[in-house]
C-alpha cells in the first residue's frame, strides 16, 4: 500500500504490539478459548503485515490456509 510514512510506521508499531500481546496471550492464558482467540489475533496481525509489505498474494494464501 502507498501510505504516508507516519501512518505506515504507526501501523507497524500497532501490529507489532498486537503480535507480541497475542503471542503472550497464547502462552500465558489458562482458558483454551481465550488462548485460541489470541492465536487468531496473531494470525490476523501477520496477514496485515503482508498487506503492508505489498505481498497481496501471500496475504490471500495466508487467509485461505
Amino acid at each position: 500500500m502507498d501510505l504516508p510514512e507516519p501512518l505506515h510506521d504507526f501501523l507497524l508499531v500497532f501490529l507489532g504490539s498486537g503480535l507480541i500481546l497475542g503471542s503472550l496471550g497464547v502462552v500465558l492464558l489458562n482458558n483454551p478459548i481465550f488462548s485460541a482467540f489470541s492465536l487468531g489475533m496473531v494470525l490476523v496481525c501477520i496477514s496485515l503485515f503482508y498487506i503492508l509489505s505489498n505481498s497481496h498474494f501471500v496475504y490471500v494464501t495466508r487467509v485461505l490456509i
Side-chain angles (χ1 to χ4, degrees):
M1 278 193 290
D2 294 330
L3 295 173
E5 189 172 341
L7 180 61
H8 189 267
D9 293 341
F10 172 75
L11 288 174
L12 283 177
V13 169
F14 182 72
L15 290 174
S17 62
L19 276 172
I20 291 171
L21 291 175
S23 60
L24 285 175
V26 169
V27 175
L28 297 177
L29 290 175
N30 292 330
N31 191 344
I33 301 298
F34 294 145
S35 182
F37 283 139
S38 294
L39 180 63
M41 183 176 77
V42 167
L43 293 176
V44 167
C45 285
I46 290 172
S47 297
L48 291 175
F49 265 127
Y50 288 135
I51 288 178
L52 282 177
S53 65
N54 291 328
S55 302
H56 299 291
F57 177 74
V58 178
Y59 161 74
V60 170
T61 56
R62 179 77 179 176
V63 170
L64 290 176
I65 293 175

